[in-house]
Amino acid sequence: MLIAENIDYKIHYVDRETDLLVLSFSHMDFNADVQPYWGRGALEKLGLSVLGITAKANDWYPDSFLDLPIFSLPLRHKFRIGYGFSMGGYGAIKFSRALCADVTLSLSPQFSIDPKDGDGRFSNFHPAPRCGGRPLREEDTGGKTVIVFDPNLYEDNLAAQKIQSISADVEKVLLPDAGHFTSNLIASTEKLGRIFSCLHAAPSLMTMEKIAKELSAPADC
């Protein structure tokens, strides 16, 4: 159900009466005509409640999100997991405190899209028309942040180091030679469900090892 919209965002909320709420953030070039929010198919199959944050443009999550009338909603879910890839991973971290995320699973996020911060891949989008993509700040972050990335990819490795420098509670899941598209490694609904279950149970170092093993394993048949 669409519950809020402004010039930059569409927000969908699906309450499936679960204690766990997934905060889903769309990635760059996300096609909202195909599905209203990122991960809809898998999250529906898993039966999870979702707050789907869909960016209308490749603008790296401008602050107008904070003006949306969603923060007074009586969401009764006891545990919240932020979830996003690349631009969506950036957004999931940027608004983790505002959305009271307990854990944020961020796949190959950016720290900033300003080339001066070391990542020139998205310079065509900087400065973003709506002032998104600024460097992440300590006051943005809430709960534990789990960053999944390829340490051999310079820009993603640098982003992870910079994010760790501004957040007190970061765990890293290293996937050498995975490339930027770490989201492709979550190749099945069952695998995603197991990862969410691990994070819900206890986001510890052992959990990070389990997640790395899940992401490195072949897809379920």
Side-chain angles (χ1 to χ4, degrees):
M1 178 176 66
L2 181 68
I3 60 168
E5 183 175 2
N6 65 13
I7 191 172
D8 298 310
Y9 299 100
K10 284 187 176 182
I11 312 297
H12 290 81
Y13 175 53
V14 182
D15 183 3
R16 297 190 173 96
E17 300 184 357
T18 55
D19 285 343
L20 173 59
L21 175 68
V22 177
L23 311 168
S24 168
F25 287 78
S26 63
H27 53 73
M28 188 176 92
D29 293 334
F30 181 76
N31 188 346
D33 293 330
V34 175
Q35 54 181 342
Y37 56 85
W38 187 53
R40 176 187 179 182
L43 296 170
E44 278 186 350
K45 290 177 182 177
L46 292 169
L48 295 175
S49 299
V50 185
L51 188 70
I53 298 99
T54 300
K56 292 183 176 180
N58 297 332
D59 55 11
W60 267 262
Y61 290 90
D63 289 340
S64 67
F65 178 76
L66 299 172
D67 300 327
L68 288 162
I70 62 173
F71 297 97
S72 60
L73 291 174
L75 305 183
R76 55 186 177 74
H77 313 278
K78 296 179 181 178
F79 197 89
R80 301 182 181 195
I81 296 179
Y83 177 49
F85 161 66
S86 195
M87 185 182 90
Y90 168 91
I93 297 173
K94 180 176 180 178
F95 296 125
S96 57
R97 177 168 292 184
L99 289 171
C100 301
D102 294 282
V103 183
T104 298
L105 179 61
S106 184
L107 310 173
S108 306
Q110 291 77 51
F111 168 77
S112 162
I113 62 167
D114 187 340
K116 293 179 181 178
D117 291 312
D119 188 347
R121 293 174 296 177
F122 308 100
S123 59
N124 288 345
F125 301 101
H126 182 270
R130 302 284 298 162
C131 301
R134 61 157 173 79
L136 293 170
R137 304 178 300 214
E138 181 179 5
E139 56 265 33
D140 297 327
T141 63
K144 180 182 285 293
T145 301
V146 178
I147 305 174
V148 178
F149 67 102
D150 179 352
N152 296 330
L153 192 59
Y154 171 79
E155 293 88 351
D156 286 358
N157 185 58
L158 179 63
Q161 303 306 322
K162 286 179 175 286
I163 292 167
Q164 189 170 39
S165 75
I166 57 96
S167 181
D169 197 357
V170 172
E171 298 282 0
K172 296 183 291 186
V173 176
L174 310 182
L175 296 175
D177 302 321
H180 182 65
F181 288 88
T182 48
S183 57
N184 292 342
L185 298 176
I186 304 179
S188 71
T189 299
E190 292 75 14
K191 182 177 285 193
L192 180 62
R194 290 193 294 267
I195 290 171
F196 281 156
S197 294
C198 284
L199 293 173
H200 191 189
S204 63
L205 179 59
M206 186 176 294
T207 299
M208 300 308 109
E209 293 173 351
K210 288 181 179 178
I211 291 174
K213 187 174 292 185
E214 283 283 0
L215 291 172
S216 300
D220 298 327
C221 296

